Amino acid sequence: MRPRRRPDRANVRTSFRTKVFIAAIGAAGVSLIVAALLLSWQVRDRQRIAIANRLIDEARLVAHLISSATALDEASLDAEADRLGQYSASRVTLIADDGRVVGDSTQTPKQLTTLDNHASRPEVVEARARGIGVFQRYSDTIATDMLYVAARARHPNVGFVRLALPLTEVDAQLAAIRNLTLVALAATIPIALGIAWALSAPLGRRVREIAAVANRYTAGEPSRASIDYGNDELGTVARVLDSSIQELGRRVDELSRDRARSDAILTGMVEGVLVVSGDGRLQLANRAAQQMLHVDGIAVGRHYLEVIRHPDISAQLTTALGGEDVEAREISLTRDPGRMFLARAAPVAAGGGGGAVLVLHDVTDLRRTDQIRRDFVANVSHELRTPLTAIRGYLEALRDDPSDTENTERFIDIIWRQTTRMERLVSDLLRLARLDARQEVLERVPCDVRQLFQAVVADLAPSVEAKGQRIVVDVPGECRVPADPAKLHDVIRNLVENAVNYSPDDTEIRLRAHRTDGSCAIEVIDSGPGLPAGDLTRVFERFYRVDKSRSRPGTGLGLAIVKHLVELHGGTVLAANRPEGGAVFTVTLPATA
């Protein structure tokens, strides 16, 4: 078996040595090429700077001479350019302020008339703006790179003086550097081959062993390897990297667990959390904070004053960054004026890196609930006080004069109506309480909406006839919906009763129903004054009145009961105004249970 294994090991060594040879040759070649490029770039850059500085000095001198020779007219300017060109190794061009060439050391007067206007030349444009313009470009006339320098002149016929010089000398130096580079490259290759051949064998073996350990770590086997890395620098680096990988693996596992826990906690929090570093940079903003403040993930790393424009929040963070304690404050955000937040900023101890933490609690629902509770208590008290006051007044009248038989029957009738109103108010309040507590159970059966409309019309016939109103039922075809018939009857009755109360006498009320997109829409359309735009979403609140100066028909709880009953069926109810006048209440219920 040994004679067969030796060629295999030799093939492996030869393959590695070939790579070393290519690397050595490539390194030598690349080094020389890079050095040549850097040197040529440096030489070219320095030569260009030197030539540009010289041309700038000459251009300023020529511009000064031209500016001083005010006696020169336009006809003698070309001759003057030829004379100046004899004392300079560069091409001298005199350009009028409008861009015409009025003199050139390399052109005859006849040729001047064929030259293009030079007003748009880059060097002339720069000289017009800054006094001196320098630009390098390829010249098609002499087939070489040219360096142009233009200077502003103060002459009646000459606005600019331009000097041009070819960069042929720089190109010659660069060609010499390239030739030397090729010679050095040819001489280095044999030396690189010999060194690589001598060092490749032991180095290749150790590199393969280290690579095998690295492959094990990459494959997910973190156990420490039991191999001899050697005592030189390569062995030291391998041992240090091995220990570092073991320690990093342990710390990465701990950090991953901690980060996962922190992300889960912050993401699941309903409170908004902002973390600001000691220099005021935003380090963290959880999802709730991003939604509250309308910021996104790219805001992390920016200064908090650039991201958070709310003055109260900025003031709290500024105070906390100064190391002071901050009291919690209720604020409302500019973009969401209807929402209230409790903001509290706290400084981070210097041992933790400094900075500040801001926590935002959304207390909108809490404040809204508290306001609704206060309004509810006030409205209930008002609604109960009115009938109680009437009952007490008429009872006192009866007690003071029990013999007044003429008014006794009328007083008793009024007391009966007020008592009935109080009984209905208490009944509606108890029903709302049951609906809020989800204590009412639905008994769904297929309900014919047309029959429910007819039953409600029959119930309210006396009230409708008393006001001379008409109720029109419009149900095309058969319209059935799975619902609790008694509760759906209450929904329609309350809506129709509301329409009767708010519609003028001798008007029409329309009841419509139709199926669409897997749902059933029930509409009650009145002929009243309609609803203010700001009250369309509030008419379903308890005791809410559109016109607070007028007394409320009924108990003021009918529409609130409608909303709860509809939501109990999994539907929605909306109020809207018609363009031709009046309001329309639309109940949308699922067509299937």
Side-chain angles (χ1 to χ4, degrees), residues 269-519:
M269 289 177 62
V270 296
E271 295 83 4
V273 179
L274 291 178
V275 180
V276 179
S277 62
D279 59 354
R281 301 286 178 180
L282 187 63
Q283 290 183 322
L284 182 144
N286 69 344
R287 185 184 303 169
Q290 294 178 13
Q291 294 174 352
M292 293 175 181
L293 301 176
H294 296 280
V295 299
D296 48 25
I298 62 175
V300 175
R302 298 168 59 187
H303 200 277
Y304 72 92
L305 293 177
E306 300 177 9
V307 179
I308 304 171
R309 301 302 178 89
H310 197 284
D312 290 336
I313 295 179
S314 300
Q316 286 203 21
L317 287 174
T318 302
T319 304
L321 287 174
E324 302 178 16
D325 293 331
V326 184
E327 294 183 358
R329 292 187 58 184
E330 281 195 11
I331 61 173
S332 63
L333 302 182
T334 304
R335 297 184 180 181
D336 295 316
R339 300 180 65 185
M340 295 296 298
F341 296 91
L342 185 66
R344 174 72 182 272
V348 178
V357 176
L358 176 76
V359 180
L360 293 170
H361 301 268
D362 191 343
V363 294
T364 305
D365 292 338
L366 181 63
R367 295 294 176 262
R368 184 183 295 114
T369 303
D370 186 60
Q371 182 63 40
I372 292 175
R373 180 188 59 80
R374 290 196 298 267
D375 293 343
F376 178 75
V377 172
N379 287 324
V380 168
S381 301
H382 174 76
E383 294 295 333
L384 290 176
R385 186 183 299 114
T386 301
L388 283 175
T389 301
I391 293 172
R392 179 177 181 179
Y394 286 108
L395 286 176
E396 289 178 353
L398 290 175
R399 188 180 63 177
D400 292 341
D401 190 6
S403 61
D404 187 2
T405 58
E406 180 181 354
N407 291 322
T408 298
E409 184 175 351
R410 185 170 61 88
F411 289 170
I412 292 176
D413 183 63
I414 293 174
I415 293 172
W416 175 262
R417 290 200 306 270
Q418 295 297 333
T419 305
T420 303
R421 180 183 176 185
M422 289 180 59
E423 181 182 8
R424 184 177 175 184
L425 176 62
V426 173
S427 176
D428 287 347
L429 287 173
L430 291 175
R431 186 167 195 185
L432 276 175
R434 290 196 305 271
L435 289 170
D436 285 335
R438 298 287 180 178
Q439 293 178 351
E440 294 210 8
V441 181
L442 288 179
E443 296 180 2
R444 294 182 186 266
V445 296
C447 299
D448 190 335
V449 178
R450 182 189 297 273
Q451 292 180 359
L452 290 174
F453 280 167
Q454 293 173 350
V456 170
V457 171
D459 291 345
L460 299 177
S463 300
V464 174
E465 292 175 358
K467 299 185 68 174
Q469 297 172 337
R470 300 174 303 281
I471 297 180
V472 178
V473 177
D474 181 12
V475 182
E478 184 179 7
C479 186
R480 291 180 175 272
V481 60
D484 188 311
K487 293 179 175 57
L488 187 55
H489 178 276
D490 292 344
V491 169
I492 299 174
R493 179 189 174 96
N494 284 339
L495 291 177
V496 175
E497 189 173 17
N498 180 78
V500 171
N501 290 333
Y502 285 97
S503 294
D505 295 347
D506 300 322
T507 56
E508 183 179 272
I509 299 171
R510 298 184 64 86
L511 308 181
R512 296 193 308 193
H514 59 278
R515 295 174 66 94
T516 174
D517 297 333
S519 61

Side-chain angles (χ1 to χ4, degrees), residues 53 110 125 151 264 282:
N53 291 334
K110 183 177 181 180
V125 173
L282 187 63

